[in-house]
Amino acid sequence: MIRGKVRRSQLVAPFGPGAMHVLSDGTSVITAGLDHWFSHGTDHNQEEFRIYEWRLEQHLGVDALYAPPDYRTGSGSAEKINTHLTVPVLRFPAWSFCPRCRLLAKDRLHQENRPACKEHQSSSHRPFLAQVPFVAICERGHLQDFPWLEWTHKTASPTCRGHRLSLRSSGGGTLASQRVSCSCGVTRNLEGITSTRDGTESGPSTLLSEELEPGGPAYLCRGGAPWLGIDREGEPCGSPLRGSLRGAANVYYSLLKSSIFVPETAASTADPKVLTVLQDGVIVQARERAAVLLDDGDPLPARLLRKAAQGQAFLLDGFSDEEIELGLSALSAAESVAAEADSGRDPTPFRATEYRTLRGAIESEELVVREPRGQYASGATTAFARVRLVEKLRETRVLWGFNRVFAESPYDDGSRKSLLRRTPARPGRNWLPAYAVSGEGIYLELDTAVLGSWEKRRAVREQAELLTQRFSNLAEQRGLQQRELSPRFILLHTLAHLLINQLTYECGYSSASLRERLYESSGPDGMAGLLIYTAAGDSEGTLGGLVRMGEPGRLEGVLENALAHAAWCSSDPVCIESRGQGPGSCNLAACHGCALLPETACEEYNRFLDRALVVGGLENRELGFFTTD
């Protein structure tokens, strides 16, 4: 049977539902949809894997978040709960070829064993079939086997009977050297199957769709979703199909939503001990059970909560009914405010909750923020209006969908969530896969008064408008939503990159282990902060090396060195004078020699960067926010 091991976090990204990966025995598989998770095992309690993150649940409109299950044999223990839980996969692509005779054969999606070539039955060593390296994808997220029969016979409805296809290579390094042939005598190479075509009446198309049947109708996506058990019998979506290598980056882009855990009542007057108990997993379930018995809007009485908690009611014994009801009221108010702020799925109010919390000082089980001890030197106090040391934080990342072809898509809406399941989730069972890590960070905030005067400079506005136009051109080509890039956003984004690059030398973390989180909104009272935090921690957190670099006496050196390195790039003057480079030409003065990071560390796919807005240009120093001369 097909078996393999994958880290639990990888089942959220990059190997979530609909993603392909290769097992240790060389079998290419695709992760099944959420319908089949937690559906196997001797006995299981899914609540053990629940991750409580109230803001993300409300923001994404789901009932719960669950971590992927871990595999337990149950041997040597009387406890048999949650044993033998697995995440199912299907063998895909279904087409394979024989390494000896090169004949193509198609197997079932549910093929459990590695198939052997049927043409060598008399041989004592029958070769195993190797899966083909090509698949077909569309921008709406569908995936199917490459149409070998149709492409070879140049028709969407081939009539060849008793066909035997073979895939051979002439030894070249291009698709033109890959040739598929049929026993009926027709043959065709794979040149251009990954290429796009100029826009048609219905929009941009692909060579695979337009030239599969030259002169005939376009061969469009059939709505294939093999990870849901749907091969080519899905509902056709009508989008152009394009060929792709099964391991190419454009086959699967995880859509993640992340949050820094903020206690539901960070500013509440309720007893923090009561709030901690009321947010315990067992009590949260009791609150949900008790709420079913109430009319909408009615407050939950403490006596009903104690009854709903059943055998766990002892957790509430140390508190009076008045204390419990005060805590319940505070939680209800926080949830209502969050629901109202997040109703439009606008990320600004979602981030604003974190922003307000990180600006102060707080000590809770999942979030510890404190003010630095001591005074910073003039360099840091001039640059930053506020610095906070985040000694402990918990980040939760949720997979809510995926894209194919492009990392961003005009179809990034509710339909993306539906790709994770074959059938819609029942009420109360709408959940998404997630994982959480604990880490540390440094929160930095710019002075909005100084920032406001800098933003009014004509040269600064023109620089930001140039980047906005660059992205506007890209958005028009790909059908993406237009957005205006403010000088404040570009400055914060680029500064975060420069500091992360410098911190890799100072505190020992790799650049892939650190992440940025931007808090930006316009106006004199808008947000102007950034959080640099560890992204590779675990449930126990990290060792404090990053927080230590935020202390007075160390942060000043990090900032000074980061700005000094940004003033001159090894690719200058080409880099600093650039009017468009990087992904989609959406960077100005930013390249691999100065400001780019691993994409896992960046919120914007390494776009919208310009160090000229940080340290100034060669001939226009007033561009830089940190220009001193």
Side-chain angles (χ1 to χ4, degrees), residues 208-541:
L208 175 59
S209 284
E210 297 296 324
E211 296 296 329
L212 180 137
E213 184 176 352
Y219 182 81
L220 301 176
C221 176
R222 307 300 177 87
W227 66 97
L228 303 178
I230 303 172
D231 186 9
R232 288 182 52 184
E233 289 74 34
E235 182 178 351
C237 76
S239 298
L241 271 175
R242 69 177 68 201
S244 177
L245 289 170
R246 72 185 190 209
N250 68 343
V251 172
Y252 190 88
Y253 293 100
S254 303
L255 293 177
L256 300 176
K257 176 69 71 174
S258 68
S259 74
I260 305 299
F261 179 81
V262 174
E264 294 182 65
T265 52
S268 172
T269 57
D271 187 341
K273 296 180 180 179
V274 175
L275 298 174
T276 300
V277 172
L278 293 178
Q279 294 176 84
D280 180 86
V282 175
I283 302 301
V284 169
Q285 295 178 49
R287 288 166 52 196
E288 294 172 352
R289 289 195 298 268
V292 175
L293 304 175
L294 300 172
D295 294 331
D296 291 342
D298 286 354
L300 175 61
R303 57 178 178 77
L304 184 56
L305 178 60
R306 294 182 192 272
K307 183 177 180 180
Q310 301 174 351
Q312 302 298 321
F314 69 90
L315 295 172
L316 304 170
D317 287 346
F319 309 104
S320 66
D321 287 356
E322 291 76 12
E323 290 175 320
I324 293 174
E325 290 172 358
L326 179 61
L328 290 170
S329 298
L331 293 178
S332 178
E335 291 168 357
S336 299
V337 171
E340 181 179 355
D342 296 338
S343 59
R345 300 288 179 88
D346 182 2
T348 301
F350 185 79
R351 291 286 176 95
T353 304
E354 298 175 14
Y355 173 76
R356 290 191 297 268
T357 304
L358 293 174
R359 300 184 80 208
I362 183 174
E363 185 168 353
S364 66
E365 185 177 352
E366 303 287 358
L367 181 65
V368 177
V369 182
R370 68 171 177 85
E371 297 185 17
R373 302 184 182 93
Q375 297 294 323
Y376 290 99
S378 58
T381 54
T382 303
F384 304 119
R386 181 178 279 103
V387 178
R388 293 293 181 265
L389 305 179
V390 186
E391 295 185 340
K392 184 177 182 180
L393 59 82
R394 189 191 79 185
E395 184 194 22
T396 303
R397 301 172 195 163
V398 182
L399 176 73
W400 64 273
F402 58 85
N403 284 328
R404 302 196 195 276
V405 182
F406 298 113
E408 292 179 301
S409 168
Y411 311 108
D412 288 351
D413 51 22
S415 66
R416 283 322 196 211
K417 193 188 299 182
S418 66
L419 291 173
L420 301 177
R421 287 183 174 85
R422 182 165 183 165
T423 56
R426 300 190 307 273
R429 296 292 300 165
N430 185 13
W431 63 274
L432 291 173
Y435 73 97
V437 295
S438 295
E440 56 175 321
I442 306 173
Y443 172 78
L444 306 169
E445 184 178 317
L446 300 180
D447 190 330
T448 54
V450 179
L451 194 58
S453 60
W454 172 79
E455 290 174 316
K456 294 177 182 178
R457 300 177 188 175
R458 179 178 178 181
V460 170
R461 294 197 308 271
E462 291 176 350
Q463 196 83 344
E465 289 170 0
L466 177 59
L467 264 187
T468 299
Q469 185 58 47
R470 289 290 185 188
F471 180 74
S472 177
N473 296 337
L474 180 67
E476 185 175 351
Q477 295 173 9
R478 298 185 181 177
L480 303 178
Q481 184 176 0
Q482 298 284 348
R483 59 187 291 187
E484 183 176 353
L485 304 172
S486 67
R488 180 178 305 194
F489 170 79
I490 301 170
L491 170 64
L492 287 170
H493 186 30
T494 308
L495 178 61
H497 277 232
L498 298 175
L499 290 174
I500 288 175
N501 275 330
Q502 185 60 36
L503 284 167
T504 60
Y505 298 106
E506 304 279 354
C507 67
Y509 284 109
S510 69
S511 55
S513 298
L514 300 178
R515 289 173 66 95
E516 65 173 356
R517 195 166 183 86
L518 306 178
Y519 303 94
E520 178 269 338
S521 60
S522 59
D525 298 323
M527 298 184 291
L530 62 94
L531 174 67
I532 298 174
Y533 64 102
T534 55
D538 58 21
S539 60
E540 299 300 325

Side-chain angles (χ1 to χ4, degrees), residues 19-338:
M20 289 188 292
H21 51 107
V22 180
L23 303 180
S24 58
D25 65 353
T27 303
S28 174
V29 296
I30 189 167
T31 308
L34 299 180
D35 311 71
H36 301 288
W37 291 33
F38 299 104
S39 62
H40 303 283
T42 56
D43 191 11
H44 68 273
N45 175 19
Q46 190 172 341
E47 292 303 311
E48 178 184 345
F49 303 102
R50 184 164 182 179
I51 297 175
Y52 290 92
E53 176 45 275
W54 62 285
R55 294 195 309 125
L56 275 178
E57 291 173 7
Q58 294 172 354
H59 191 63
L60 295 172
V62 296
D63 300 312
L65 306 174
Y66 292 102
D70 57 335
Y71 184 77
R72 309 171 190 174
T73 61
S75 59
S77 173
E79 182 64 50
K80 299 298 183 182
I81 301 297
N82 291 331
T83 59
H84 300 94
L85 288 177
T86 60
V87 174
V89 296
L90 298 168
R91 190 176 186 272
F92 189 82
W95 282 89
S96 304
F97 67 93
C98 176
R100 290 189 193 174
C101 63
R102 310 297 295 184
L103 286 179
L104 285 166
K106 186 177 183 181
D107 292 289
R108 300 174 295 113
L109 282 174
H110 298 82
Q111 178 75 29
E112 293 184 351
N113 300 312
R114 294 183 64 189
C117 182
K118 298 178 180 179
E119 300 296 320
H120 298 82
Q121 293 187 12
S122 60
S123 174
S124 58
H125 298 286
R126 293 175 60 191
F128 288 111
L129 297 181
Q131 289 162 282
V132 295
F134 302 104
V135 294
I137 58 179
C138 87
E139 289 187 39
R140 289 186 179 270
H142 298 121
L143 169 71
Q144 68 176 58
D145 279 295
F146 185 81
W148 299 102
L149 281 172
E150 293 85 348
W151 178 261
T152 307
H153 294 88
K154 299 183 179 180
T155 175
S157 303
T159 58
C160 179
R161 299 291 183 235
H163 50 261
R164 296 174 64 190
L165 297 177
S166 60
L167 178 64
R168 301 181 184 277
S169 173
S170 62
T174 65
L175 290 174
S177 66
Q178 302 289 322
R179 181 170 294 274
V180 57
S181 305
C182 181
S183 55
C184 69
V186 299
T187 182
R188 192 178 189 183
N189 65 38
L190 303 183
E191 183 178 11
I193 63 171
T194 63
S195 303
T196 58
R197 295 291 298 270
D198 293 335
T200 61
E201 293 182 0
S202 58
S205 188
T206 64
L207 188 141
L208 175 59
S209 284
E210 297 296 324
E211 296 296 329
L212 180 137
E213 184 176 352
Y219 182 81
L220 301 176
C221 176
R222 307 300 177 87
W227 66 97
L228 303 178
I230 303 172
D231 186 9
R232 288 182 52 184
E233 289 74 34
E235 182 178 351
C237 76
S239 298
L241 271 175
R242 69 177 68 201
S244 177
L245 289 170
R246 72 185 190 209
N250 68 343
V251 172
Y252 190 88
Y253 293 100
S254 303
L255 293 177
L256 300 176
K257 176 69 71 174
S258 68
S259 74
I260 305 299
F261 179 81
V262 174
E264 294 182 65
T265 52
S268 172
T269 57
D271 187 341
K273 296 180 180 179
V274 175
L275 298 174
T276 300
V277 172
L278 293 178
Q279 294 176 84
D280 180 86
V282 175
I283 302 301
V284 169
Q285 295 178 49
R287 288 166 52 196
E288 294 172 352
R289 289 195 298 268
V292 175
L293 304 175
L294 300 172
D295 294 331
D296 291 342
D298 286 354
L300 175 61
R303 57 178 178 77
L304 184 56
L305 178 60
R306 294 182 192 272
K307 183 177 180 180
Q310 301 174 351
Q312 302 298 321
F314 69 90
L315 295 172
L316 304 170
D317 287 346
F319 309 104
S320 66
D321 287 356
E322 291 76 12
E323 290 175 320
I324 293 174
E325 290 172 358
L326 179 61
L328 290 170
S329 298
L331 293 178
S332 178
E335 291 168 357
S336 299
V337 171

